Structures are given as C-alpha cells and as structure tokens.
Amino acid sequence: MLELKENYWKKIPYFSNIEKNQWEDWKWQIRNRLVSIEDILKIFNPEKDLIKAFQRTTQIYHFGTTPYYLSLIKEFSYKDPIFKQIFPHLDEIDEEKQKFAYEDPFLEDGFLSPVQGLTHRYPDRVLFRATNFCSVYCRHCMRKRMFLEEERARTKEEYDQMFDYIRQNKNIKEVLISGGDPLTLPNKKIEYILKNLQEIEHIDIIRIGSRELVVNPYRFFDEDLLNLFEKYDKVWLITHFNHPNEITNITKKAVRNILQTGTPVLNQTVLMKDINDDKYIIETLMRDLLKVKIKPYYLFYCDPVKGSIHFRTDIKKGIAIIEHLRGRVSGLATPIYAVDLENGLGKVPVFPNYILEEGENYIIFRNYEGKIIKQRK
Ligand SMILES: *Cc1c(COP(=O)(O)O)cnc(C)c1O
Ligand code: SF4
C-alpha cells in the first residue's frame, strides 16, 4: 500500500502547478488524460525504442491514462507494474505472439448477444456494456476489440432496447454493467441506467464493473454518485486491482465512502506475466485489499484476447499461488482462480487438489503444509 503525501503530484514537474481542487476533481482527471506521445513527452523522455513501440502500437490500439494513475509509476520502464499496464508494447501487435488469440473469444458480440451491447451467457445474469470509453486503457484488456472502435457511450435508444430484453426475461436476476468503464459516464446517464434496472422487479443485483477506483479514485468523492449508490440499493461494485502499488491511502478513503452507501466492494485480478505472477506480490495485494475492505473475488488466468494474450502465464503458476495463500493467509483474502473458456462456454474455477485418494471407507487428504492425512468417510 502506498501512502501518498500532501500534494504528491507536484513531484512531477508537468503537474507542479496543479492545485488540490483540480487534481482531486474526477472530471479534471478525465479531461486531462494523457492520450498521445506528445503528452508522454511532457512527463518524461523515453528512449527511442520506447517511442517507436508507442507510435507503432497506438496505430492500432489507443493509449490513455489519468494523471493520477500515471503518478503511481515509480520507474518509467516496463519493469514497473503500472507503467507496464498502460504503456504500449510491440508484443501487442506481434503476429507470432498473438497467433492463438481472438478478438472476441467469449462470443460476447456473437451468438450470445440477443441485443447489441448485451451478452446472455448464464440463465440468471446478463452482461450490459454501457460504453466503450475508459479513462485508462489497460494493455491487457479482455475487450481489446473495442480499442479498434470509435470511443462512445451507447445511446438512450440502445439502452432502452437492452432494458426491454431484460424486462421480458424473468430468469434474469442480475445485470453486470461493464464497458469500457461505466463510471466514466456522467451521473445523469448512470442514473438513467440504474433507475431502469432497479425498477425491474425480477432484478436482485446490479453489479457495476469499473476500474475508476484504481485509476481515478476521486470519482468516489463525488456526492452525486454516492447518492445514486445509496438510492439504488441493488448496486454492488466490482473493481480491478492487479498490483499492491495501485492501493493508496486515497483508495482507502474512497472505499470508505462507497461502503457508507451500503454498496459492497469486490475485486477481480488478472494474473499477468512480469506484473503480478509471483506468490508474494499476490499475497501482498490480497492482504492490502482486505486492509482497505475490498473482498478478493476472482483471480483470472489471462484471456486469449488479441492484443493481450502475451501477458499469459503458465496455468500452474496460478494454482501454485492459490496453494501458497491457502492456510497462510486469511480465507477472506483468497480469491477463486478461474479460466474463462473459449467460445463463451463460461468460467471454470481451478483449484489445487487436496484429495489424494478415495477408498470405500476412507479419504486421503493433503493439508496446506503438505501433510498427508487419512480419515474415515
Ligand atoms: C463473467 C461473466 C458473468 C459473471 O460470472 P460470475 O461467475 O457470476 O462472476 C456473467 N456473464 C458473462 C457473459 C460473463 O462473462
Ligand atoms: S478499464 Fe477495464 S474495460 Fe477499460 S481498458 Fe481497462 S480492463 Fe479494459
């Protein structure tokens, strides 16, 4: 966890004149996103090959970061876990590295989509993509295909068609609002979505998937948004922290604000090569999440998405990490390790194996220390 000091952003010369009331305004953070190589050059002087990687990669996949998220970088190089999540890399467009990847491996826009913007994979819940805009474009995004489109929120008419489908399908109990990042939308639009969904009687849960808590925590100092969370009480928030360097004293205050509205906060992490594929980094991340009262929900095996698959690690690495956590760290801190199957076949949890043998009247277990224990059935 990072303790950010008073006026911490002023250590970056380009931001030295920015006042507290600007920096801490979520809209200022979005308006002042860095989106081009010219913007990057205001911050630091990259080596030639970094500039080349940036220019070539962004001809296909755009770049963007909030000043806040950028300020968490400790070293301007791919060794830094935050830099690596936002700075374009030639691997993204390397045909050999991307050859087993797909634009839409889970068929979100394919036959699982009854109405544009909706994906209906499981009987009782539906994915609702509200916008394709994000305030930070993560290099590892699982919807990297949307980087190829023009940035825009869906129109009211599109939302209305999505609501109609949900109203007509009484099996649907839960709506996952995702994007892009839905919390980059103006409050008015968010209220339009929440109001319509909350009013549908068979909807029990409105799950908002957003990275704003990670990349723009000032979003949750906006009283109007907090009032919406309070008013629409079906809302849950799922966020996306990948590294302990992303958790700060400001995150903690922001989570406190969210929890005060009665909204639970959970986290999904993606396991990524040279960012967090290390048991001690994941252990610290999970412990720090609990410290700020976020419950770790999923740890995902990196998806086979074109432009992102180069972050994939060995599947066994994730199992070894879960095995490391179990018994050593609070059960609350242990997420479910899962793989999303290609062709939209759903998420599969993957666990270490703790049952070694089963006989007619006994079971042989292995405990977290590796001890072998035989017990009667
Ligand atoms: C991941 C996902 C869900 C939610 O799955 P949970 O296991 O409930 O978190 C729902 N719909 C789609 C299409 C998904 O990809
Ligand atoms: S915030 Fe989410 S949707 Fe947006 S780029 Fe990052 S991972 Fe993708």
Side-chain angles (χ1 to χ4, degrees):
M1 180 147 56
L2 220 62
E3 190 68 34
L4 296 170
K5 307 219 162 64
E6 191 72 17
N7 297 325
Y8 60 95
W9 58 90
K10 299 203 175 190
K11 68 177 193 262
I12 301 173
Y14 181 61
F15 296 129
S16 59
N17 294 324
I18 305 303
E19 296 307 325
K20 194 174 162 70
N21 63 345
Q22 297 175 286
W23 185 268
E24 296 186 347
D25 170 4
W26 72 273
K27 288 185 187 159
W28 185 91
Q29 287 285 337
I30 292 190
R31 267 200 313 273
N32 290 279
R33 295 184 323 132
L34 300 118
V35 296
S36 65
I37 192 69
E38 290 74 30
D39 290 344
I40 286 292
L41 290 170
K42 293 170 190 161
I43 306 294
F44 80 110
N45 241 328
E47 289 187 13
K48 269 210 185 91
D49 49 346
L50 275 185
I51 296 184
K52 207 171 95 193
F54 187 105
Q55 286 173 324
R56 290 195 40 204
T57 310
T58 53
Q59 280 172 7
I60 297 179
Y61 298 118
H62 48 221
F63 162 82
T65 181
T66 54
Y68 168 84
Y69 194 60
L70 181 100
S71 79
L72 304 182
I73 293 175
K74 291 178 177 167
E75 183 188 339
F76 288 98
S77 96
Y78 291 125
K79 283 186 216 138
D80 185 281
I82 290 172
F83 184 91
K84 203 172 163 78
Q85 285 183 68
I86 54 175
F87 201 89
H89 193 289
L90 285 174
D91 282 356
E92 295 171 42
I93 52 170
D94 182 317
E95 279 184 22
E96 188 57 29
K97 294 227 157 77
Q98 303 295 330
K99 83 176 162 192
F100 297 119
Y102 312 86
E103 272 188 18
D104 183 12
F106 311 124
L107 309 181
E108 290 182 336
D109 290 327
F111 84 99
L112 290 179
S113 179
V115 174
Q116 257 208 7
L118 281 188
T119 306
H120 197 179
R121 155 77 246 169
Y122 300 105
D124 75 327
R125 50 217 193 274
V126 71
L127 175 68
F128 183 111
R129 279 166 291 125
T131 174
N132 67 11
F133 177 83
C134 298
S135 53
V136 162
Y137 286 111
C138 313
R139 302 333 293 172
H140 60 274
C141 183
M142 59 97 55
R143 296 209 181 95
K144 207 139 173 178
R145 63 183 187 280
M146 76 187 184
F147 288 36
L148 308 169
E149 306 161 1
E150 178 199 356
E151 292 167 303
R152 70 168 187 100
R154 282 184 201 284
T155 61
K156 190 171 161 292
E157 289 68 32
E158 288 175 293
Y159 290 150
D160 289 344
Q161 286 181 9
M162 293 155 84
F163 299 141
D164 278 344
Y165 178 84
I166 297 167
R167 272 188 213 108
Q168 285 157 18
N169 283 270
K170 297 216 162 56
N171 291 336
I172 302 174
K173 303 268 181 269
E174 178 171 350
V175 180
L176 285 75
I177 307 173
S178 182
D181 198 318
L183 294 184
T184 59
L185 293 172
N187 293 332
K188 255 197 159 144
K189 224 162 183 166
I190 294 174
E191 169 141 41
Y192 185 72
I193 298 172
L194 296 184
K195 180 174 186 298
N196 274 279
L197 294 177
Q198 172 99 16
E199 279 171 5
I200 303 174
E201 220 159 284
H202 55 270
I203 295 302
D204 299 330
I205 297 175
I206 303 170
R207 193 195 305 188
I208 298 178
S210 167
R211 233 193 155 196
E212 286 297 279
L213 187 58
V214 185
V215 300
N216 189 10
Y218 301 112
R219 185 70 178 101
F220 306 95
F221 290 75
D222 172 8
E223 286 297 329
D224 292 339
L225 180 74
L226 295 171
N227 288 337
L228 292 182
F229 283 6
E230 178 111 31
K231 182 168 169 193
Y232 299 105
D233 64 355
K234 296 181 181 178
V235 171
W236 290 55
L237 182 68
I238 312 286
T239 179
H240 176 37
F241 288 89
N242 292 319
H243 194 279
N245 291 6
E246 295 172 334
I247 304 178
T248 71
N249 49 324
I250 296 158
T251 319
K252 186 169 180 174
K253 280 194 200 146
V255 177
R256 189 124 202 116
N257 292 346
I258 302 164
L259 291 176
Q260 274 166 354
T261 69
T263 307
V265 188
L266 285 83
N267 185 67
Q268 301 183 158
T269 297
V270 181
L271 191 62
M272 287 182 282
K273 189 155 70 193
D274 301 332
I275 291 181
N276 61 10
D277 57 339
D278 172 281
K279 61 187 180 185
Y280 298 110
I281 292 177
I282 294 287
E283 177 181 338
T284 307
L285 172 64
M286 298 305 156
R287 287 187 188 278
D288 286 355
L289 285 169
L290 283 193
K291 275 187 213 163
V292 301
K293 292 203 174 160
I294 300 175
K295 165 75 185 96
Y297 176 38
Y298 273 128
L299 173 68
F300 285 119
Y301 179 56
C302 182
D303 292 327
V305 167
K306 206 161 218 88
S308 305
I309 197 175
H310 55 289
F311 286 108
R312 182 171 271 190
T313 59
D314 190 329
I315 180 113
K316 291 194 204 78
K317 217 161 193 177
I319 299 177
I321 289 171
I322 297 299
E323 179 138 21
H324 167 78
L325 296 177
R326 176 56 56 195
R328 286 178 192 84
V329 181
S330 165
L332 285 174
T334 312
I336 300 166
Y337 183 42
V339 178
D340 215 341
L341 296 181
E342 288 174 18
N343 297 314
L345 291 169
K347 295 180 180 72
V348 171
V350 186
F351 296 100
N353 183 25
Y354 293 106
I355 292 187
L356 301 182
E357 194 183 314
E358 185 179 352
E360 205 164 304
N361 52 18
Y362 67 90
I363 306 173
I364 300 181
F365 294 97
R366 179 176 62 89
N367 82 350
Y368 76 97
E369 299 158 304
K371 281 192 184 132
I372 312 289
I373 298 113
K374 186 172 178 177
Q375 273 190 196
R376 278 166 59 130
K377 260 191 188 171

